[in-house]
Amino acid sequence: MPAITAAGRFIGSAFLGVICFAGCGGTSAVTTTPPPPAISVIVSPSIASVVVSQSQTLTAILKNDSSGRGVTWAASGNGCSGNACGTFSNPQSNSIVYTAPAAAGTYTITATNVADPTKSASATIGVTDLAGVFTYHYDLARDGVNTREFSLTAHVVQSAFGKLFSCPVDGAVYTQPLWVPNLTLSGTLHNVIFVATQHDSAYAFDADASPCVQLWHVNLLDAAHGGTAGETPVPYNDVGAGFSDIQPEIGVTSTPVIDPASSTIYVVSKSIDPVSFFHQRLHALDLLSGNERLNGHQPVEISASVAGNGDGATGGNLAFDPQTQHQRSALALLNGIVYIAWASHEDKNPYHGWLIGYDAASLAQVAVINTTPNGSRGGIWMAGGAPAADAGGNLYVATGNGTFDGNLPLSPNDDFGDSVLKINTADRLSLADWFTPFNQDNLNNIDADLGSSGVVVLPDQASAPVHLLVSGGKAGTIYLLNRDTMGKYCGPSCSIDTNILQSFPAFVGVFGTPAFWQNGLYLAGSVQFVGDNLKLFAFNPATGHFSTTPSSQSAHVFIFPGASPSVSSQGTLNGIVWAIDSSQYGVPSPSGSGPAVLYAFDATNLANELWNSSQAAGNRDRAGDAVKFSVPTIANGRVYIGTRTEIDIYGPLPN
């Protein structure tokens, strides 16, 4: 046994304490050296989003790792193993580049400390195979759904979500942001957001880089884009009836459409030159540069005429008027043809509903139809919604107030105000079928446009009727139509529309396009000065009808103009409904000017509000000032919204 010193300390022993016996102050105590601090591991970022086969840098941050041996990395999830879960650059390093696999899904990337394998941390990576958001409300059905969103869940949105950055623009953005992945600009791969403004500008921004990276910006009125010296966007008081619906200027209002096969974005501009000639032009811009691609690298000046004696016609010819016709409805691309629709500025006569088709490869005009060639009005605006299309190549639009004579036995019974139209595109553009509410005359007289709502093509059903369509209107009625037999007109003797599948009062008014996900219809209605909740109406495939009572609704009331929601999900799971409160859209808004407010709701229960952009302290998530009828775009773990001064980008916050 080792000797003990007078102080009681073992000599030659590893024992470091001090033992006190009698004579050492009359007490006994033991003191020891504390153990070294525990190792900790954090992975940053803890939540990330990438497109299939793209890369994400991940860093393991270690504390108290005195051995300096670092971490090892592993990937799991989505039923994968090995490299099928993705690959790492230098997996023994504390900072690695993770390359996502080709299979979409949710993956967990774990960093484990080498010195103490009980210490680890993980990052959750959502890998999307979303091909792109090329058109309004995601697809030709206009259902407003992205089912390939693998980063955004209710937990993420409630716990770690907010504003990431903003991209400034030179005018109000009424267009829905469009998103395209995997574009190489100046030798660098980018995911890209495209928008256009009322100042007649078009922009491309990196969809992920913070702070904002502008990839290109073009002026659609310069000589390279068909403009003339001194040409400007249209001052708001040069059109309309003095209500200042869009102010202070009108340039690009409608959402463009993208052809990914040719890397082209199609945009319609409006302008006035120094001698007071008004212009509307269809531009075909290169996605990589913003340069004009077609028609000898120049846009097409929009003009058209049809036979008719309607309001503004001369000698049996009705001509398109670029001043009075307002191009609000989003563009559609179907079978190689770009379709563009028009209505009015503030119902100032004369105007009509026009639908014109242009060949996407040459910009040659190939088809024209007018909704009221022998009457007046009947505009196609749908609160910015786009023509919907079915697999058979038919287009569907809703018209606003105007002349209706489609029920008359004698020609020219070709005026279709307040109607839902099925338009055959195989033989240029021709009316194939239609529905007009029994109370069309009353709707017309009280300015209760049917055409204030966009139309949505529902998924094909397992039993008849197989082909369905939903629309609405200012009166707040939802109409469920059979696309194969749309019902035409019940007549003034009817008290309800017995000629269609279903109609029911759902909202105080409809100004927007519904979303449809998992047999649920989502929309926030409103009328001037009166708001309504975001509501979910369940569709029963067995009966072929909607429940007329909402299965859930938001506590928040959306004041005019309501909201056109979008839905993100992981297939049939983790549905989130995104909606913008744009009630403070400025003059002539009864709510004045103020920020857009983005909301997120549980898609299975709208009473469960997950988050909104006004709730964080210090205005952290505040958006730019609102614009009317704005629609959010969700892609690759981000939510993009347009405002009066900027594009705002939301997503999981950095840890």
Side-chain angles (χ1 to χ4, degrees):
M1 177 176 180
I4 303 177
T5 68
R9 183 179 182 89
F10 288 108
I11 297 173
S13 169
F15 179 74
L16 301 178
V18 175
I19 302 176
C20 288
F21 300 97
C24 295
T27 63
S28 63
V30 177
T31 61
T32 60
T33 302
I39 294 171
S40 66
V41 184
I42 298 172
V43 175
S44 180
S46 60
I47 304 169
S49 309
V50 294
V51 177
V52 290
S53 302
Q54 289 187 358
S55 299
Q56 171 69 47
T57 298
L58 297 169
T59 300
I61 303 168
L62 288 85
K63 291 184 178 180
N64 307 314
D65 182 25
S66 59
S67 72
R69 295 169 67 188
V71 298
T72 59
W73 295 86
S76 62
N78 207 36
C80 65
S81 62
N83 287 345
C85 302
T87 59
F88 304 101
S89 68
N90 193 12
Q92 305 303 317
S93 170
N94 286 0
S95 183
I96 55 99
V97 175
Y98 168 70
T99 299
T106 303
Y107 295 84
T108 300
I109 313 303
T110 303
T112 302
N113 182 251
V114 175
D116 184 355
T118 67
K119 301 299 188 296
S120 64
S122 298
T124 301
I125 311 293
V127 178
T128 184
D129 55 0
L130 180 66
V133 183
F134 305 126
T135 189
Y136 178 88
H137 240 207
Y138 287 95
D139 53 32
L140 285 166
R142 313 304 174 192
D143 57 25
V145 179
N146 169 15
T147 62
R148 311 306 294 165
E149 177 47 61
F150 293 93
S151 289
L152 300 178
T153 64
H155 173 72
V156 168
V157 172
Q158 287 179 306
S159 62
F161 190 83
K163 185 175 177 179
L164 301 177
F165 61 99
S166 296
C167 293
V169 291
D170 62 6
V173 177
Y174 282 68
T175 66
Q176 179 182 344
L178 302 178
W179 177 86
V180 181
N182 295 320
L183 292 180
T184 300
L185 288 81
S186 302
T188 303
L189 187 72
H190 300 270
N191 303 321
V192 185
I193 279 291
F194 297 91
V195 297
T197 74
Q198 295 287 9
H199 197 61
D200 276 321
S201 286
Y203 289 87
F205 296 107
D206 187 294
D208 308 307
S210 178
C212 179
V213 173
Q214 179 182 293
L215 301 173
W216 55 255
H217 164 222
V218 296
N219 175 5
L220 298 175
L221 303 184
D222 64 19
H225 293 83
T228 56
E231 197 168 332
T232 68
V234 176
Y236 74 97
N237 51 7
D238 281 357
V239 294
F243 301 132
S244 307
D245 182 55
I246 297 176
Q247 46 76 35
E249 59 187 355
I250 298 158
V252 179
T253 304
S254 69
T255 298
V257 68
I258 290 173
D259 177 15
S262 65
S263 293
T264 306
I265 181 169
Y266 299 89
V267 186
V268 173
S269 65
K270 183 162 185 166
S271 57
I272 185 171
D273 64 26
V275 292
S276 297
F277 284 120
F278 290 84
H279 302 270
Q280 293 195 40
R281 301 185 180 99
L282 172 59
H283 303 261
L285 306 179
D286 184 349
L287 287 181
L288 303 183
S289 66
N291 297 332
E292 301 281 348
R293 293 192 68 252
L294 304 175
N295 192 43
H297 304 294
Q298 287 290 300
V300 167
E301 192 87 22
I302 293 172
S303 64
S305 64
V306 296
N309 292 298
D311 197 6
T314 302
N317 184 69
L318 180 62
F320 177 88
D321 186 336
Q323 177 180 4
T324 62
Q325 297 293 159
H326 182 28
Q327 210 283 290
R328 185 184 278 277
S329 181
L331 276 58
L333 177 62
L334 178 65
N335 296 330
I337 307 297
V338 178
Y339 292 101
I340 312 169
W342 283 266
S344 72
H345 293 280
E346 302 167 0
D347 286 337
K348 184 175 181 179
N349 295 316
Y351 73 90
H352 301 264
W354 291 86
L355 183 65
I356 305 177
Y358 289 86
D359 184 275
S362 67
L363 297 190
Q365 188 179 111
V366 296
V368 180
I369 193 171
N370 188 289
T371 64
T372 53
N374 291 287
S376 64
R377 302 191 168 197
I380 303 169
W381 61 287
M382 301 188 294
D390 63 20
N394 299 294
L395 289 173
Y396 298 87
V397 298
T399 64
N401 300 328
T403 304
F404 170 68
D405 58 17
N407 61 314
L408 298 181
L410 300 177
S411 62
N413 51 357
D414 53 3
D415 300 312
F416 289 93
D418 291 306
S419 301
V420 180
L421 307 180
K422 177 179 181 178
I423 299 174
N424 186 339
T425 64
D427 182 20
R428 298 171 64 85
L429 290 173
S430 59
L431 186 62
D433 201 356
W434 49 276
F435 161 70
T436 305
F438 78 94
N439 58 342
Q440 183 276 332
D441 187 58
N442 182 59
L443 296 178
N444 184 41
N445 290 335
I446 64 173
D447 187 27
D449 303 52
L450 178 66
S452 66
S453 168
V455 294
V456 179
V457 171
L458 302 191
D460 287 355
Q461 302 301 301
S463 58
V466 173
H467 303 127
L468 304 179
L469 179 81
V470 167
S471 189
K474 285 185 184 179
T477 300
I478 291 295
Y479 301 94
L480 177 63
L481 307 178
N482 180 352
R483 302 196 316 265
D484 298 325
T485 308
M486 293 185 62
K488 296 188 167 58
Y489 181 61
C490 183
S493 61
C494 294
S495 58
I496 59 173
D497 289 302
T498 57
N499 51 327
I500 63 173
L501 297 177
Q502 187 182 19
S503 66
F504 61 97
F507 304 94
V508 296
V510 177
F511 290 83
T513 302
F516 189 81
W517 179 75
Q518 291 298 292
N519 287 320
L521 188 76
Y522 301 86
L523 188 66
S526 70
V527 292
Q528 197 79 353
F529 306 110
V530 179
D532 207 342
N533 314 84
L534 178 69
K535 296 177 181 177
L536 166 58
F537 290 93
F539 177 75
N540 185 340
T543 64
H545 288 81
F546 283 97
S547 170
T548 59
T549 301
S551 56
S552 67
Q553 62 183 37
S554 65
H556 178 74
V557 173
F558 288 80
I559 307 300
F560 181 81
S564 291
S566 299
V567 178
S568 65
S569 73
Q570 299 173 10
T572 62
L573 304 175
N574 294 315
I576 299 175
V577 181
W578 303 88
I580 298 171
D581 186 328
S582 59
S583 57
Q584 297 187 77
Y585 61 86
V587 177
S589 162
S591 302
S593 296
V597 182
L598 176 64
Y599 282 82
F601 301 92
D602 181 344
T604 62
N605 181 7
L606 296 178
N608 183 13
E609 180 184 311
L610 305 176
W611 172 90
N612 74 73
S613 61
S614 68
Q615 70 186 37
N619 292 325
R620 182 196 69 188
D621 299 334
R622 178 171 175 155
D625 281 357
V627 296
K628 208 173 183 181
F629 307 137
S630 52
V631 180
T633 295
I634 306 94
N636 193 31
R638 306 283 191 269
V639 181
Y640 304 89
I641 68 172
T643 73
R644 192 164 290 279
T645 57
E646 63 193 31
I647 305 302
D648 290 311
I649 296 89
Y650 295 86
L653 295 168
N655 58 321

